[in-house]
Amino acid sequence: MLTDPAAIIERVSERLSALRSVCCMTGAGVSAESGVPTFRGQGGLWQGRRAEDVATPQAFQRDPEGVWEFYNYRREKLLDCKPNAGHTAIADLEAVFDDWTLITQNVDGLHRQAGSKNIVELHGNIWTTRCTACCQEFDHFGDKLSRRPTCDDCGGLLRPGVVWFGEMLPPDALTAAQDAVGRCQAILVVGTSSVVEPAASMAGWARAHGALVVEINLERTPLSEEADECLFGKAGEILPKLVSALRARQSDPPR
Ligand code: OAD
């Protein structure tokens, strides 16, 4: 069994190059190299903070200003963050495969900024808001919002356009993700701790119908055991190498 990372990248590229339908599932780790904090582990957003206090509908009902403070803090930090080499490589992969879907748990919008087009945002987008009264959705990219933002149309309280714990995922996003996972021949799982459902189960669904599962992460996760291939290291270093290896195979097909 090969353990040299360069050799594993070669082998993964060889296996992927024969496929046409590929999915990618990303988590906070893919944005870590852009300076966006992850959730778990050292320095993570949930360290010293309880998700139930800031990321549930109950928390918002109890203390909307406290919840907005948390999301406004994250929005402000994000203004300084740019897509990194991992985001760019993922955007590049869209041109490599005939059928490519990027499913992300990230709400930071960096994949789109990097040029990815076919994206399913499973947990919403932090730059959007939704009126709690009339349900209209608004795009507030880059805007500084107050601690109690209200709807321009009806005056209702706005909430962040993200999915909180205990909420359903947006039905369209869930259906698109399920469809893509259901037909893919391989899934790349990048920078996620693979503990939050349903995202955590998607690689397992793909594997159940025979898809190749490739994990890219700094460290082992619950998925590592069932993944066919694991590449341990920074997404921003591994993914560009994978793209180069795939492009080399495209320009030099086997005779
Ligand atoms: P986590 O913070 O749980 O996990 C981040 C993962 O990224 C960890 O497994 C790290 O080892 C890995 N990682 C960190 N830096 C990396 C790098 N440079 N390259 C590759 N991997 C790296 O974040 P998520 O799995 O995204 O949900 O968390 C899932 C969901 O839980 C989030 O969407 C959020 C959170 O609570 C909601 O808020 C609803």
Side-chain angles (χ1 to χ4, degrees):
M1 192 69 172
L2 294 170
T3 51
D4 168 30
I8 301 176
I9 288 173
E10 267 312 305
R11 186 176 59 207
V12 170
S13 75
E14 187 183 355
R15 296 178 82 171
L16 289 175
S17 64
L19 309 179
R20 60 171 301 279
S21 180
V22 178
C23 273
C24 180
M25 161 68 74
T26 63
V30 82
S31 294
E33 290 159 73
S34 295
V36 183
T38 58
F39 292 93
R40 297 169 184 80
Q42 224 183 358
L45 281 170
W46 295 154
Q47 205 187 29
R49 211 184 247 123
R50 292 185 332 143
E52 306 89 78
D53 291 339
V54 285
T56 60
Q58 292 79 6
F60 191 65
Q61 216 162 15
R62 207 168 44 236
D63 179 17
E65 296 191 358
V67 170
W68 264 116
E69 206 172 312
F70 174 65
Y71 282 91
N72 281 340
Y73 164 79
R74 286 175 61 191
R75 289 161 61 103
E76 204 176 311
K77 291 267 166 223
L78 267 178
L79 285 176
D80 297 328
C81 300
K82 300 269 170 294
N84 64 56
H87 294 108
T88 306
I90 288 171
D92 290 343
L93 286 172
E94 194 158 346
V96 171
F97 299 100
D98 290 347
D99 176 20
W100 169 263
T101 308
L102 169 59
I103 304 165
T104 187
Q105 298 166 81
N106 298 346
V107 296
D108 55 32
L110 290 176
H111 281 302
R112 203 170 292 282
Q113 279 188 51
S116 280
K117 298 269 185 300
N118 192 22
I119 311 178
V120 178
E121 291 181 320
L122 267 192
H123 293 170
N125 187 304
I126 201 167
W127 295 111
T128 65
T129 61
R130 188 164 72 248
C131 178
T132 54
C134 71
C135 297
Q136 265 195 92
E137 294 183 4
F138 301 95
D139 187 350
H140 287 289
F141 182 78
D143 296 346
K144 194 166 165 49
L145 298 178
S146 75
R147 293 185 69 208
R148 205 182 169 87
T150 51
C151 175
D152 282 346
D153 281 351
C154 77
L157 178 64
L158 295 179
R159 58 160 284 173
V162 301
V163 178
W164 284 324
F165 288 98
E167 290 187 312
M168 304 289 283
L169 298 189
D172 290 353
L174 184 58
T175 305
Q178 284 169 329
D179 285 354
V181 169
R183 67 174 185 270
C184 76
Q185 297 165 296
I187 182 164
L188 311 182
V189 184
V190 187
T192 174
S193 54
S194 288
V195 294
V196 174
E197 295 294 354
S201 290
M202 290 190 182
W205 302 345
R207 192 157 200 267
H209 68 73
L212 176 74
V213 176
V214 179
E215 179 176 52
I216 298 169
N217 200 300
L218 276 186
E219 55 193 28
R220 292 187 72 79
T221 72
L223 177 69
S224 311
E225 222 33 62
E226 57 172 324
D228 298 289
E229 302 278 6
C230 291
L231 285 157
F232 295 116
K234 291 184 174 178
E237 292 174 5
I238 293 171
L239 284 164
K241 290 181 187 157
L242 184 59
V243 171
S244 300
L246 278 160
R247 282 184 174 154
R249 283 178 190 281
Q250 275 187 327
S251 58
D252 186 17
R255 271 163 270 180

